[in-house]
Amino acid sequence: MSHPIMFAAAKGLTTAEERRKTAREAAFRTWGPRSITAASKYARTLLGDAAVTLDWEVLGLLSFEEHLQAFASLDTTGGQHLELYYTDQRGTERISLRVSCVSCPSQHVHEVTSLEQLGQLLSQTPAWQDIAPREGGNL
């Protein structure tokens, strides 16, 4: 007859596995909303009140327990698609501007550190003609 400690260990393992499975399922269900909330909050901190107008969407699914990510499309102009990407990997939050060519595989990614720096990055894109300040907007 098997020793009682063997049954206790088997039961303990099964219980722990069920707890981990439940926690993973809960994290999976809440991952998207947590990503969007975190992106919105960090964008507002980094870019100011105008960031509340960004329409964040969930971006794929990586290791959902520790890696939040979302994106917000800005514009497509002059053959370039502009998007902001938010990522929080193990507590390090970042927003990047991704500029990709609509008709080719080219893309560039630049980390965004402030609203002014985002403006500098945008000034190097075709979108600048539509968004540049009209009066006194010297660069």
Side-chain angles (χ1 to χ4, degrees):
M1 177 162 204
S2 298
H3 194 280
I5 194 74
M6 294 168 66
F7 292 109
K11 183 177 180 183
L13 175 63
T14 302
T15 302
E17 285 176 350
E18 288 175 9
R19 268 195 309 264
R20 283 190 292 274
K21 179 182 174 190
T22 301
R24 279 193 307 273
E25 289 171 355
F28 179 76
R29 283 191 304 277
T30 63
W31 179 82
R34 285 185 296 129
S35 292
I36 290 173
T37 299
S40 297
K41 183 178 178 183
Y42 185 67
R44 188 162 185 196
T45 299
L46 187 68
L47 303 173
D49 290 339
V52 299
T53 62
L54 291 168
D55 187 20
W56 292 98
E57 297 179 44
V58 175
L59 175 68
L61 179 63
L62 292 176
S63 177
F64 57 82
E65 294 173 347
E66 51 192 45
H67 189 168
L68 301 177
Q69 57 182 8
F71 76 97
S73 183
L74 298 179
D75 197 3
T76 300
T77 183
Q80 292 183 331
H81 187 63
L82 307 168
E83 295 175 313
L84 289 178
Y85 280 78
Y86 166 82
T87 183
D88 177 356
Q89 192 167 19
R90 294 185 176 104
T92 302
E93 293 180 293
R94 288 189 175 96
I95 290 183
S96 301
L97 174 66
R98 183 169 296 182
V99 181
S100 56
C101 179
V102 173
S103 61
C104 66
S106 173
Q107 74 174 357
H108 302 280
V109 178
H110 308 277
E111 186 169 355
V112 175
T113 57
S114 68
L115 186 61
E116 180 181 359
Q117 192 249 350
L118 176 60
Q120 290 172 347
L121 292 169
L122 292 173
S123 73
Q124 300 168 21
T125 69
W128 188 250
Q129 296 172 3
D130 296 331
I131 62 172
R134 300 292 185 239
E135 298 174 23
N138 297 330
L139 287 179

